[in-house]
Every structure is written in structure tokens, then in C-alpha cells.
Amino acid sequence: MIAAAANAYQQTQVLTANRVQLIVLLYDSAIHSMELAREAILTNNYKDKARFLDRSMAIVGELSSVLDFERGGEIAISLHRLYDYMVQQCIQANLRHNGKHLDGPIRCLTTLREGWQVVARQESVTHVGG
């Protein structure tokens, strides 16, 4: 019952989010999936490890695929490299069965998420005040 309510809330959140809020939600999901993958590694739960690493890589891959290199210039190139690093670390975490490979990507995603969260707040204030 609680899981169904949480899922309904999450769906509503995604459907009503603007582009910046959606990016923040993607970062949240990637971070959460990597943390769950790291926990699965610690408990030798290979099924969950694979599921959560796959989810993490899919989200990071999606974030990378929507980069606009023409408008984003050097920032887009840097983000692309960072996302590539994150995917490679997920692969290493899987191959070596070592959650430490996820520490760097989780830190990077958390920092990026914080930056996008600031942008989301600024947009929210602009839309409410404007």
C-alpha cells in the first residue's frame, strides 16, 4: 500500500516537473540507484547489483545523450566526459564486485544535482514572482 502510494507520488512528480526539475529527479534516481547497487555489492546480492547498476548506467546514459554540444560548448563536453567516467566506474564496480568504484560517481552526481537544484529554485522564484 505504501509502495503504491509512493509510486503514484513519484509519477505525479515526474509528470508535473519542468525540464530543470526533471534533471534533478534524474540525478536523484541515479544517486539512489548507485547507493542501492553499492549496498547490493556489500550483501553479495548479485541480482540487485546488476539491476541497480543497469538503472544507474541507463540514467547517466540518458543525461549524456541529451547534451547539446552546440549550445553547451565546453560545459557539454566536460559533462559528457564526466558521464562517461561514471559509466566506466559502474562497469568496474560490476566487474570487480567493489562498491568503492561508485564513490566518485555518487560524489559527482551529488555535486551536479546541487547545482541543478539551485537553478530549479531560481526558476521557481522567477515563475512565482513573475
Side-chain angles (χ1 to χ4, degrees):
M1 174 88 167
I2 293 173
N7 189 32
Y9 172 76
Q10 190 175 29
Q11 282 183 319
T12 302
Q13 197 176 17
V14 169
L15 292 174
T16 60
N18 66 30
R19 290 181 70 177
V20 173
Q21 291 168 329
L22 190 55
I23 292 170
V24 172
L25 291 173
L26 286 170
Y27 280 125
D28 285 344
S29 186
I31 293 164
H32 185 65
S33 294
M34 285 186 192
E35 288 171 342
L36 291 172
R38 187 168 52 189
E39 184 178 315
I41 290 169
L42 288 173
T43 60
N44 291 317
N45 185 334
Y46 292 92
K47 183 178 175 184
D48 280 352
K49 175 185 85 164
R51 181 170 54 130
F52 293 121
L53 284 174
D54 283 349
R55 184 181 299 164
S56 301
M57 289 187 289
I59 294 167
V60 171
E62 183 63 28
L63 287 165
S64 184
S65 74
V66 298
L67 290 171
D68 184 341
F69 293 99
E70 286 184 28
R71 291 178 46 199
E74 286 299 316
I75 292 172
I77 292 169
S78 294
L79 282 171
H80 179 72
R81 288 182 186 139
L82 197 55
Y83 293 147
D84 186 51
Y85 155 77
M86 291 178 202
V87 168
Q88 293 305 316
Q89 289 302 299
C90 286
I91 292 169
Q92 289 303 311
N94 186 40
L95 292 174
R96 300 184 190 286
H97 195 66
N98 186 337
K100 293 227 181 263
H101 286 282
L102 300 175
D103 293 348
I106 290 171
R107 274 194 308 275
C108 291
L109 287 167
T110 301
T111 301
L112 290 168
R113 184 213 178 276
E114 289 167 0
W116 281 104
Q117 185 66 40
V118 169
V119 173
R121 277 192 223 111
Q122 290 171 344
E123 277 193 359
S124 172
V125 169
T126 303
H127 288 138
V128 171

